[in-house]
Short mmCIF file of all heavy atoms in Angstrom, two decimals:
data_model
loop_
_atom_site.label_atom_id
_atom_site.label_comp_id
_atom_site.label_asym_id
_atom_site.label_seq_id
_atom_site.Cartn_x
_atom_site.Cartn_y
_atom_site.Cartn_z
N CYS J 9 8.71 21.52 0.76
CA CYS J 9 9.94 21.16 0.14
C CYS J 9 11.00 21.55 1.06
O CYS J 9 11.09 22.68 1.75
CB CYS J 9 10.00 21.96 -1.22
SG CYS J 9 11.59 21.65 -2.10
N VAL J 10 12.07 20.82 1.01
CA VAL J 10 13.27 20.99 1.93
C VAL J 10 14.36 21.69 1.24
O VAL J 10 15.37 22.10 1.87
CB VAL J 10 13.84 19.50 2.33
CG1 VAL J 10 14.60 18.87 1.16
CG2 VAL J 10 14.72 19.58 3.59
N TYR J 11 14.18 22.24 0.01
CA TYR J 11 15.30 22.93 -0.64
C TYR J 11 15.04 24.39 -0.56
O TYR J 11 15.21 25.03 0.59
CB TYR J 11 15.46 22.49 -2.13
CG TYR J 11 16.15 21.11 -2.18
CD1 TYR J 11 15.44 20.12 -2.81
CD2 TYR J 11 17.44 20.96 -1.77
CE1 TYR J 11 16.08 18.78 -2.97
CE2 TYR J 11 18.08 19.70 -1.94
CZ TYR J 11 17.42 18.60 -2.51
OH TYR J 11 17.96 17.38 -2.64
N CYS J 12 14.62 25.16 -1.50
CA CYS J 12 14.75 26.69 -1.49
C CYS J 12 13.62 27.30 -0.66
O CYS J 12 12.69 26.60 -0.25
CB CYS J 12 14.93 27.22 -2.91
SG CYS J 12 13.26 27.61 -3.61
N GLY J 13 13.73 28.61 -0.45
CA GLY J 13 12.77 29.32 0.36
C GLY J 13 11.44 29.56 -0.25
O GLY J 13 10.61 30.31 0.36
N THR J 14 11.06 29.14 -1.42
CA THR J 14 9.80 29.19 -1.99
C THR J 14 8.76 28.56 -1.17
O THR J 14 7.60 29.06 -1.09
CB THR J 14 9.75 28.74 -3.48
OG1 THR J 14 10.83 29.36 -4.14
CG2 THR J 14 8.48 29.03 -4.19
N GLY J 15 9.11 27.36 -0.66
CA GLY J 15 8.07 26.78 0.31
C GLY J 15 7.04 25.86 -0.48
O GLY J 15 5.89 25.87 -0.06
N CYS J 16 7.31 25.38 -1.70
CA CYS J 16 6.39 24.64 -2.41
C CYS J 16 5.88 23.38 -1.55
O CYS J 16 6.66 22.75 -0.76
CB CYS J 16 7.07 23.99 -3.70
SG CYS J 16 7.56 25.34 -4.84
N GLN J 17 4.64 23.11 -1.79
CA GLN J 17 4.03 22.05 -0.94
C GLN J 17 4.05 20.74 -1.89
O GLN J 17 3.84 20.75 -3.00
CB GLN J 17 2.44 22.43 -0.73
CG GLN J 17 2.37 23.48 0.16
CD GLN J 17 2.84 23.27 1.62
OE1 GLN J 17 2.27 22.48 2.40
NE2 GLN J 17 4.05 23.83 1.90
N VAL J 18 4.47 19.70 -1.19
CA VAL J 18 4.67 18.43 -1.88
C VAL J 18 3.93 17.32 -1.13
O VAL J 18 3.59 17.30 0.05
CB VAL J 18 6.07 18.07 -1.95
CG1 VAL J 18 6.90 19.14 -2.61
CG2 VAL J 18 6.76 17.80 -0.52
N GLY J 40 3.93 27.17 -5.05
CA GLY J 40 4.53 26.77 -6.35
C GLY J 40 3.41 26.51 -7.40
O GLY J 40 3.66 26.07 -8.55
N LYS J 43 3.25 23.18 -9.12
CA LYS J 43 4.48 22.61 -9.75
C LYS J 43 5.62 22.45 -8.91
O LYS J 43 5.59 22.96 -7.75
CB LYS J 43 4.90 23.73 -10.81
CG LYS J 43 3.87 24.14 -11.93
CD LYS J 43 4.58 24.98 -12.96
CE LYS J 43 3.53 25.70 -13.80
NZ LYS J 43 3.17 26.95 -13.65
N LEU J 44 6.61 21.70 -9.38
CA LEU J 44 7.92 21.57 -8.62
C LEU J 44 9.09 21.84 -9.60
O LEU J 44 8.83 21.61 -10.81
CB LEU J 44 7.99 20.22 -7.96
CG LEU J 44 7.05 19.79 -6.99
CD1 LEU J 44 7.31 18.31 -6.54
CD2 LEU J 44 7.18 20.67 -5.69
N CYS J 45 10.19 22.23 -9.07
CA CYS J 45 11.43 22.31 -9.96
C CYS J 45 12.01 21.01 -9.84
O CYS J 45 11.71 20.12 -9.10
CB CYS J 45 12.29 23.57 -9.43
SG CYS J 45 13.13 23.15 -8.05
N ILE J 46 13.08 20.89 -10.62
CA ILE J 46 13.83 19.57 -10.72
C ILE J 46 14.44 19.14 -9.26
O ILE J 46 14.24 17.85 -8.88
CB ILE J 46 15.00 19.70 -11.66
CG1 ILE J 46 15.74 18.35 -11.94
CG2 ILE J 46 16.15 20.61 -11.27
CD1 ILE J 46 14.91 17.46 -12.83
N LYS J 47 14.77 20.08 -8.40
CA LYS J 47 15.14 19.64 -7.03
C LYS J 47 14.02 19.09 -6.23
O LYS J 47 14.13 18.09 -5.65
CB LYS J 47 15.84 20.75 -6.38
CG LYS J 47 17.12 21.17 -6.90
CD LYS J 47 18.04 22.06 -5.92
CE LYS J 47 17.53 23.52 -5.97
NZ LYS J 47 17.74 24.27 -7.21
N GLY J 48 12.79 19.77 -6.39
CA GLY J 48 11.56 19.35 -5.62
C GLY J 48 11.26 17.98 -6.09
O GLY J 48 10.89 17.09 -5.23
N TRP J 49 11.21 17.80 -7.45
CA TRP J 49 10.69 16.42 -7.90
C TRP J 49 11.58 15.29 -7.32
O TRP J 49 11.08 14.08 -7.24
CB TRP J 49 10.77 16.44 -9.43
CG TRP J 49 9.51 16.97 -10.15
CD1 TRP J 49 9.53 18.19 -10.71
CD2 TRP J 49 8.21 16.38 -10.19
NE1 TRP J 49 8.18 18.30 -11.25
CE2 TRP J 49 7.47 17.30 -10.93
CE3 TRP J 49 7.67 15.13 -9.75
CZ2 TRP J 49 6.06 17.04 -11.29
CZ3 TRP J 49 6.37 14.92 -10.03
CH2 TRP J 49 5.62 15.86 -10.84
N MET J 51 13.39 15.20 -4.42
CA MET J 51 13.91 15.44 -3.04
C MET J 51 13.88 14.17 -2.20
O MET J 51 14.48 14.07 -1.16
CB MET J 51 13.11 16.53 -2.28
CG MET J 51 11.75 16.19 -1.75
SD MET J 51 11.04 17.59 -0.87
CE MET J 51 10.33 18.45 -2.20
N GLN J 178 17.71 29.70 -9.07
CA GLN J 178 17.68 29.57 -7.61
C GLN J 178 16.39 29.43 -6.96
O GLN J 178 16.29 28.85 -5.90
CB GLN J 178 18.55 30.70 -7.09
CG GLN J 178 19.97 30.56 -7.45
CD GLN J 178 20.71 31.83 -7.60
OE1 GLN J 178 20.19 32.84 -7.33
NE2 GLN J 178 21.89 31.86 -8.12
N HIS J 179 15.42 30.09 -7.50
CA HIS J 179 13.96 30.08 -7.03
C HIS J 179 13.05 29.83 -8.11
O HIS J 179 12.32 30.70 -8.47
CB HIS J 179 13.65 31.23 -6.23
CG HIS J 179 14.41 31.63 -5.08
ND1 HIS J 179 15.53 32.21 -5.06
CD2 HIS J 179 14.32 31.36 -3.66
CE1 HIS J 179 16.11 32.37 -3.80
NE2 HIS J 179 15.27 31.81 -2.97
N PRO J 180 13.16 28.64 -8.84
CA PRO J 180 12.52 28.43 -10.09
C PRO J 180 11.02 28.73 -10.13
O PRO J 180 10.54 29.27 -11.05
CB PRO J 180 12.78 26.95 -10.43
CG PRO J 180 14.00 26.61 -9.61
CD PRO J 180 14.02 27.51 -8.45
N LEU J 181 10.36 28.35 -9.05
CA LEU J 181 8.86 28.71 -8.92
C LEU J 181 8.49 30.00 -8.71
O LEU J 181 7.39 30.50 -8.85
CB LEU J 181 8.21 27.63 -8.04
CG LEU J 181 7.76 26.28 -8.63
CD1 LEU J 181 6.77 26.59 -9.69
CD2 LEU J 181 9.01 25.57 -9.16
N ILE J 182 9.45 30.82 -8.15
CA ILE J 182 9.27 32.25 -8.12
C ILE J 182 9.50 32.80 -9.49
O ILE J 182 8.85 33.75 -9.97
CB ILE J 182 10.07 32.96 -7.05
CG1 ILE J 182 9.67 32.39 -5.67
CG2 ILE J 182 9.97 34.55 -6.97
CD1 ILE J 182 10.51 32.90 -4.46
N PHE J 588 22.11 22.31 -4.40
CA PHE J 588 21.66 23.22 -3.38
C PHE J 588 22.75 23.31 -2.26
O PHE J 588 23.41 22.28 -1.78
CB PHE J 588 20.41 22.48 -2.80
CG PHE J 588 19.83 23.38 -1.64
CD1 PHE J 588 19.05 24.47 -1.94
CD2 PHE J 588 19.84 22.96 -0.33
CE1 PHE J 588 18.54 25.22 -0.96
CE2 PHE J 588 19.30 23.81 0.67
CZ PHE J 588 18.66 24.96 0.35
FE1 SF4 E 701 11.49 23.18 -3.76
FE2 SF4 E 701 12.19 25.69 -4.30
FE3 SF4 E 701 12.04 24.04 -6.36
FE4 SF4 E 701 9.82 24.86 -4.98
S1 SF4 E 701 11.18 26.14 -6.22
S2 SF4 E 701 10.23 22.75 -5.63
S3 SF4 E 701 10.59 25.01 -2.87
S4 SF4 E 701 13.48 23.89 -4.54
#
Side-chain angles (χ1 to χ4, degrees):
C9 180
V10 75
Y11 285 120
C12 88
T14 308
C16 295
Q17 294 296 289
V18 300
K43 299 186 190 106
L44 295 175
C45 74
I46 187 79
K47 288 194 284 288
W49 276 108
M51 81 177 83
Q178 289 148 6
H179 298 84
L181 271 299
I182 296 180
F588 184 72

